[in-house]
Amino acid sequence: MNDLEKKVVDLIAEVLVDVNKENIQMNSKIVEDLGAESLDIYDMIALLEDEFGLEITDEEVEKIQTVQDVADFIKDHRKAS
Amino acid sequence: MQHRVAVTGMGMVTCLGSGVKANWEAVTAGRSGIGPITLFDTERFATRIAGEVRNNFDPEGFIPVKELRRMDRYQHFALVAAGEAIRDSGIKFPPDDPWRCGVVIGSGIGGLASIENGHNVLLKDGPRRVPPMMIPMSVINLAPGIISIKYGFKGPNFGLVNACTSGTSAIGEAYRLVREGRADLVLAGGAEAVVTPLAISAFNALRALSTRNDDPEKASRPFDKDRNGFVISEGAGMLVLESYEHALARGAVIQAEIVGYGATDDAYHFVMPDPDGEGAYRAMKLAVEDAGVTPEEIGYINAHGTSTELNDKMETSAIKRLMGPAAKTVAISSTKSMTGHLIGAAGAVEAIYSVMAIKNGVIPPTINLETPDPECDLDYTPNKAARREVEYAISNSFAFGGQNASLALKRHSENGKSPYRI
């Protein structure tokens, strides 16, 4: 895991307090594997937007399935800006 | 058929501590819970004191962290007090018939801190950053909502907004639900957490709060000539009300009975009570009539007793009108002298103190009553608790908007021979 990926895992663990951090893998599916519900997703988006100073649209949220997708999104977005 | 209504469980959180036991020890010892505000920087505020919930309040030991973050402080108080009341009642959960178990919670303002926070975020960072949970954290019906989620109570469920009578009104309406047979058991009470910058500045704008900042423990002084406003505080009180048959059938301990409820409105002014006390008098009279007793049979009145000049005089004259010569001998106290004014939770906390007074034969005092107001000349149990057997008590709450509500409570006799008139 690189630094960005580690940071993403930390943030997801902060939202999903019931999930053991060691169980959060880059290929974990956020809803199916980690049990996130809709309110968790809202919290996660708010936290990611704050942390990385970016904006995630509803369409973009729908494409994000795994922890890796989150990290990739942030990497791409940072590159673009 | 009308049912008798038993109190089978109680729970509370106030500035005097968490739990009924800690609270009862403090109020009977005449201890004040008022101190400097620590929840925010008060430098520019006229009032810098309140009854904050601090010592021994540990919602994390009771509510999972994720849920905790999604609740306002007033909801933390509601859930923790409800938990104590449910444990105290011994009712198992989920209950056998969840559709017969209800929840009625009163609050004056609900999650004001969450609204203030959401608005601050809106101004600073824009509409996209407003927290998604701001609405469920701020609305009042989510207090009964989260309690029903936790305990699986699926019967009548609502939030009730009646300013400073909210807690009393919630218990009164819950009492009616049980009495009329529309539920076997209702968890009822009040919760409030409005020690916030906006609330303090707004109450200051109304000149309603004491500004005795240099002497917080002396600031709440109902019926005393040197009062200068009420002291705002926070917390929650919850009671399990249950039909007498339901309580007996499961072998519950009956702590007292609720036997009367009266509710009126002054129809007079936004924030001032009608100085004639007509509405307050009639609320008490309705509660006493509902209980089927005469006013002379009332042994204790837990007064609304806010420590404002208008309320204290109005309430005194209303009690005199209700009780006639017996007004001189009835034991009265304002526990707000120690707890401060919990706004929508006040009536619920005071109903619990009233039950404890009846159960234990002890009247909590009105502290800081050093120079009696000549127009407030009854027995307010000044400064020290008093031993006194009480068969019937009433608990008063009056509010901005002119709402008045009184509950009548009755001692429960172990031998079951105690007379009860419906």
Side-chain angles (χ1 to χ4, degrees), chain B residues 32-310:
Chain B
S32 169
I34 309 303
I37 292 173
T38 63
L39 289 165
F40 59 94
D41 180 2
T42 55
E43 201 190 320
R44 294 160 63 208
F45 290 71
T47 292
R48 300 192 288 277
I49 54 170
E52 288 182 357
V53 169
R54 275 181 248 173
N55 300 334
N56 304 321
F57 180 67
D58 174 27
E60 287 174 32
F62 186 69
I63 309 170
V65 177
K66 191 155 90 180
E67 290 177 34
L68 205 66
R69 285 204 306 229
R70 291 181 176 161
M71 291 177 198
D72 185 85
R73 188 170 168 85
Y74 99 96
Q75 293 163 338
H76 296 166
F77 296 150
L79 200 49
V80 170
E84 186 192 359
I86 298 276
R87 281 194 304 280
D88 187 37
S89 76
I91 185 96
K92 58 178 180 178
F93 75 93
D96 290 335
D97 188 351
W99 306 101
R100 297 283 301 163
C101 298
V103 187
V104 183
I105 308 290
S107 184
I109 313 185
L112 183 60
S114 297
I115 297 174
E116 288 180 38
N117 176 56
H119 192 243
N120 289 340
V121 172
L122 173 68
L123 296 181
K124 186 167 159 281
D125 300 323
R128 279 187 54 83
R129 294 284 193 274
V130 172
M133 287 302 286
M134 196 208 89
I135 296 297
M137 286 169 78
S138 53
V139 293
I140 286 169
N141 66 301
L142 254 286
I146 56 179
I147 290 168
S148 67
I149 292 166
K150 182 154 181 84
Y151 292 105
F153 290 180
K154 297 181 175 179
N157 187 300
F158 56 96
L160 189 155
V161 182
N162 235 358
C164 306
T165 65
S166 301
T168 299
S169 302
I171 296 165
E173 296 305 322
Y175 153 75
R176 286 179 173 166
L177 288 173
V178 175
R179 191 179 62 167
E180 292 164 11
R182 290 194 276 153
D184 294 328
L185 180 151
V186 179
L187 182 98
E192 199 78 71
V194 292
V195 182
T196 73
L198 191 62
I200 300 294
S201 34
F203 279 114
N204 274 157
L206 283 170
R207 305 283 187 274
L209 299 180
S210 170
T211 50
R212 201 183 289 261
N213 297 313
D214 51 350
D215 198 6
E217 295 189 356
K218 297 276 185 191
S220 184
R221 38 197 319 119
F223 308 110
D224 188 272
K225 198 165 173 294
D226 298 329
R227 60 168 119 56
N228 69 344
F230 73 84
V231 176
I232 200 165
S233 58
E234 58 177 3
M238 298 289 158
L239 296 90
V240 173
L241 309 188
E242 197 170 349
S243 78
Y244 202 79
E245 311 89 81
H246 193 263
L248 284 188
R250 66 180 187 88
V253 175
I254 294 173
Q255 308 200 33
E257 289 182 57
I258 299 190
V259 290
Y261 169 47
T264 63
D265 193 274
D266 287 351
Y268 177 76
H269 189 270
F270 283 69
V271 295
M272 287 195 293
D274 179 349
D276 287 348
E278 176 84 16
Y281 157 72
R282 284 180 181 263
M284 286 189 277
K285 188 165 182 282
L286 287 168
V288 169
E289 285 172 358
D290 195 24
V293 296
T294 61
E296 295 77 28
E297 289 178 83
I298 302 298
Y300 172 53
I301 298 173
N302 186 297
H304 186 54
T306 51
S307 179
T308 63
E309 195 173 326
L310 290 175

